[in-house]
Amino acid sequence: MTSKENTLEVLHWGRPEYVPLACESIQLVGMIPGDFDGPMKGGRDLFGIPWVPGREGAMVAPGFQMFDDICQWDQYIKRPDLSIYDFNKFAETEYKMVDSSDKVRTLFCQNGLFMKLVNSMGFMDGLIALAENPEACMDMFEYLTGYVLDYMKRAIDAYHPDMVTYFEDMATASSLFISLDTYRKVLKPFHKKIVEYVHSRGLLFQMHICGKCEDIMDDMVDIGVDAWHSAQISNDLANILQKYKGKLVVEGGWDSQGPPSFLTAGEADVRAETRRCLEMYGIFPGFILSPVMFNEQGNSVLVGDERFVFIEDEWKKYRYICRNYG
């Protein structure tokens, strides 16, 4: 099997030959129009929100607040006119820059509905709005869902991806930012609509949520999410892989903020972490190893890390650990 074929076997619950390594087999595409919603190099996005670049990724400018009353959202939030952009040209440019022909192409769809709320109001007032006036938040989410679907249609038509990765960071290292009831009432219906659209285009849907978000795994499966990225070890990943076998692919597994990701971690440390991931999670179907390191140097996805050569070498030795799973 090619790398792409093997990874698609995992994503479609087939018979892969080995555990895929995400950085070797999956390519984010749509990076140029993806900057519409959070410019990697800083500046204002299409909604007027200012961003500042950093080694960890672009972040909303400190102290920014577009409005503080959720009842006034429609005075400030205006859907951009995407018809003025040439998505085909974007795709042509990207595909000339990066050869992703033997990788699963997944469309980069950053800053989902929850993120748009807290990015425009600030986290504190955004969370208060969800608690005090969920109806107004739902009105805003319904409006923004129209933008998300418009963006996806144009980007899918141009990039022809295999999957869509939708970013919706709703969790801290210890729990969700919002209650499960709030999620189910206020956000889940719109996530379901987005997932259904992606499936209507014949594509896989991957939800990106960092942090400890295992409480909404049932809901993710319920609305049809095919894969979860980036799965961190604050969640019980072995149990999730076993419980949702055949339903939810798990991409992640690396101790991204622990000792294996520290700058002091040596070759033996990262090799050991690679084996741990494969031995603990690779024995289950539906696992894709995705090593991501956060440390003083930044986010390894953005800044790289010279130790990845050891990770890839160790992965090549142990990646077939899942070949006999039932």
Side-chain angles (χ1 to χ4, degrees), residues 8-15 244-249 285-286:
L8 287 174
E9 283 294 301
V10 173
L11 289 164
H12 288 288
W13 298 98
R15 298 295 299 180
Y244 299 103
K245 177 183 176 181
K247 299 177 180 178
L248 185 70
V249 171

Side-chain angles (χ1 to χ4, degrees), residues 298-325:
N299 180 345
S300 64
V301 174
L302 300 177
V303 301
D305 193 292
E306 61 185 12
R307 294 168 294 182
F308 266 79
V309 64
F310 305 130
I311 295 172
E312 185 170 0
D313 182 61
E314 202 72 9
W315 163 76
K316 287 179 178 178
K317 295 177 183 177
Y318 291 90
R319 60 181 170 168
Y320 291 97
I321 196 168
C322 74
R323 65 186 183 277
N324 293 320
Y325 65 65

Side-chain angles (χ1 to χ4, degrees), residues 105-177:
R105 291 171 170 172
T106 185
L107 180 66
F108 181 53
C109 218
Q110 67 170 325
N111 292 317
L113 304 178
F114 173 80
M115 295 305 299
K116 277 286 193 299
L117 174 68
V118 297
N119 289 345
S120 57
M121 293 190 72
F123 257 94
M124 183 177 72
D125 283 340
L127 294 177
I128 290 173
L130 283 165
E132 293 187 343
N133 201 333
E135 293 79 12
C137 292
M138 292 178 72
D139 289 341
M140 178 177 165
F141 293 153
E142 182 175 15
Y143 179 77
L144 287 173
T145 297
Y147 165 76
V148 172
L149 298 184
D150 183 25
Y151 170 84
M152 285 185 174
K153 179 184 184 306
R154 296 173 189 277
I156 290 170
D157 286 346
Y159 283 87
H160 306 290
D162 304 290
M163 181 165 67
V164 169
T165 300
Y166 172 85
F167 285 68
E168 191 75 284
D169 281 320
M170 302 186 299
T172 71
S174 58
S175 68
L176 294 172
F177 277 112

Side-chain angles (χ1 to χ4, degrees), residues 215-325:
D215 287 348
I216 62 168
M217 293 296 110
D218 282 345
D219 298 277
M220 287 171 60
V221 170
D222 181 53
I223 63 176
V225 172
D226 299 294
W228 166 39
H229 167 282
S230 143
Q232 295 179 306
I233 65 169
S234 53
N235 304 277
D236 187 349
L237 300 185
N239 180 61
I240 290 169
L241 281 159
Q242 187 171 21
K243 180 178 180 181
Y244 299 103
K245 177 183 176 181
K247 299 177 180 178
L248 185 70
V249 171
V250 174
E251 181 185 339
W254 187 269
D255 186 0
S256 58
Q257 294 174 303
S261 297
F262 293 170
L263 291 178
T264 53
E267 176 181 347
D269 300 310
V270 297
R271 286 185 181 274
E273 176 65 4
T274 304
R275 292 194 303 275
R276 182 195 70 81
C277 291
L278 293 171
E279 290 167 0
M280 284 192 68
Y281 313 131
I283 59 173
F284 299 102
F287 176 65
I288 298 172
L289 174 59
S290 182
V292 179
M293 301 180 181
F294 285 95
N295 50 49
E296 296 88 340
Q297 186 171 286
N299 180 345
S300 64
V301 174
L302 300 177
V303 301
D305 193 292
E306 61 185 12
R307 294 168 294 182
F308 266 79
V309 64
F310 305 130
I311 295 172
E312 185 170 0
D313 182 61
E314 202 72 9
W315 163 76
K316 287 179 178 178
K317 295 177 183 177
Y318 291 90
R319 60 181 170 168
Y320 291 97
I321 196 168
C322 74
R323 65 186 183 277
N324 293 320
Y325 65 65

Side-chain angles (χ1 to χ4, degrees), residues 174-189:
S174 58
S175 68
L176 294 172
F177 277 112
I178 57 179
S179 72
L180 200 52
D181 286 344
T182 296
Y183 172 72
R184 289 173 174 166
K185 175 183 177 182
V186 183
L187 272 164
K188 184 178 177 180

